[in-house]
Amino acid sequence: MPQTDTQPRPNRDAYKKAFSEDYPDMDFEDKEARYGRMLEDRNSLRSYRKSGSALNGMFEKQRWLAAMVSDLMDNPDLNPIEWLADNGIDLQEVMNDEETRKKVGDKIAEHQKKVIEDEKENDQRQKNLEQSWQNLAQTGVDEEKAMDMWNKFFTDIVDPALRGEVTTDTWRAVQKAANYDSDIAAAREEAGMQARNEKMENKVKKFDTPMPPTLSQGQGQQTTQPKKRGGFFDELQAAGYYD
């Protein structure tokens, strides 16, 4: 009889334990699923390395910024303007330079223009989402089902996609939808379409439940708040020189 391989594999065992903790719903012994997840993790790691390398390169060129960020990590309440003064950077003297004043003025003007554009874009986005919510009502589903579909669409598909995280399951769902035989579906539905449409026209109405928020609304797509014009430091803050 062939001998059973009892060679200890501590690295594999440790990886299996970590994998199971991160993905408890996946079967580690399913090689295809495991390799798919490992590939996604590898792509994410490459992305993190690329962005980290770019950040390190910037800090290498701007040592003062790296020092400020390091101090801000130790003290999140640190005032960047005070930090500059503590490190011998005289902003008043810098602003006495005519060219610098012009650059700052241009930055402030650009910022104010962007605030206006962002407000218009956010208003339009909100209108589009409200229309999308009503479009969902046109399918004839009840409000509870619509809420579930809305949250699943944004939580499982849209928001991960905006982060560049499209899973194998998502691609399979898209592939399944793309391969759907619309001609057969149309033929199957044609007989009852008219009657169903007549019923739906009587059933469809605006949902009483307010449109649920999306993760994009709550996190990634925050409305830019206009800033009141103030003194010298307020203008610098508006120009993006510090938060």
Side-chain angles (χ1 to χ4, degrees), residues 5 10 32 46 96 100 108 111 129 141 195 241:
D5 184 9
E32 188 64 21
R46 287 173 177 168
N96 286 334
T100 300
I108 292 172
H111 173 77
L129 285 169
V141 299
Y241 279 80

Side-chain angles (χ1 to χ4, degrees), residues 57-71:
M58 181 188 67
F59 283 152
E60 188 67 26
K61 294 179 180 180
Q62 304 290 343
R63 295 296 183 88
W64 66 272
L65 181 59
M68 177 188 288
V69 170
S70 177
D71 289 345

Side-chain angles (χ1 to χ4, degrees), residues 71-241:
D71 289 345
L72 282 169
M73 291 178 64
D74 294 334
N75 179 16
D77 296 326
L78 178 66
N79 186 320
I81 296 298
E82 294 180 0
W83 184 93
L84 292 173
D86 288 341
N87 286 269
I89 302 176
D90 189 342
L91 285 180
Q92 190 63 53
E93 181 178 350
V94 171
M95 290 301 297
N96 286 334
D97 180 73
E98 182 177 353
E99 183 178 354
T100 300
R101 286 201 308 272
K102 184 179 184 306
K103 287 182 180 179
V104 171
D106 291 342
K107 289 289 185 181
I108 292 172
E110 291 175 6
H111 173 77
Q112 292 172 342
K113 180 180 178 181
K114 186 177 184 301
V115 167
I116 296 174
E117 292 175 349
D118 286 348
E119 288 175 347
K120 291 181 179 179
E121 182 178 340
N122 287 327
D123 289 343
Q124 186 61 53
R125 181 184 297 109
Q126 183 64 25
K127 292 178 182 178
N128 292 343
L129 285 169
E130 290 172 357
Q131 182 59 53
S132 298
W133 178 242
Q134 291 307 319
N135 290 343
L136 182 53
Q138 299 298 317
T139 65
V141 299
D142 58 34
E143 294 187 27
E144 182 178 357
K145 180 63 175 178
M147 184 78 72
D148 180 67
M149 291 173 62
W150 180 276
N151 290 332
K152 185 175 181 60
F153 177 73
F154 282 98
T155 303
D156 296 351
I157 299 177
V158 175
D159 288 294
L162 290 174
R163 297 193 300 269
E165 302 170 357
V166 184
T167 66
T168 302
D169 289 340
T170 299
W171 285 125
R172 286 173 177 166
V174 173
Q175 182 185 35
K176 183 178 180 181
N179 292 336
Y180 186 72
D181 193 337
S182 58
D183 292 336
I184 295 178
R188 186 171 58 247
E189 294 290 338
E190 185 175 359
M193 183 178 296
Q194 184 62 38
R196 185 170 62 254
N197 287 343
E198 291 176 359
K199 291 181 180 179
M200 189 174 292
E201 287 177 0
N202 295 328
K203 181 179 180 181
V204 169
K205 63 182 184 300
K206 288 190 175 182
F207 289 154
D208 294 329
T209 303
M211 181 187 70
T214 68
L215 290 182
S216 294
Q217 286 176 289
Q219 299 175 359
Q221 300 292 345
Q222 297 178 354
T223 301
T224 302
Q225 298 295 328
K227 296 181 173 61
K228 296 181 180 180
R229 294 183 63 83
F232 170 76
F233 291 133
D234 293 326
E235 297 295 343
L236 284 179
Q237 185 182 36
Y241 279 80

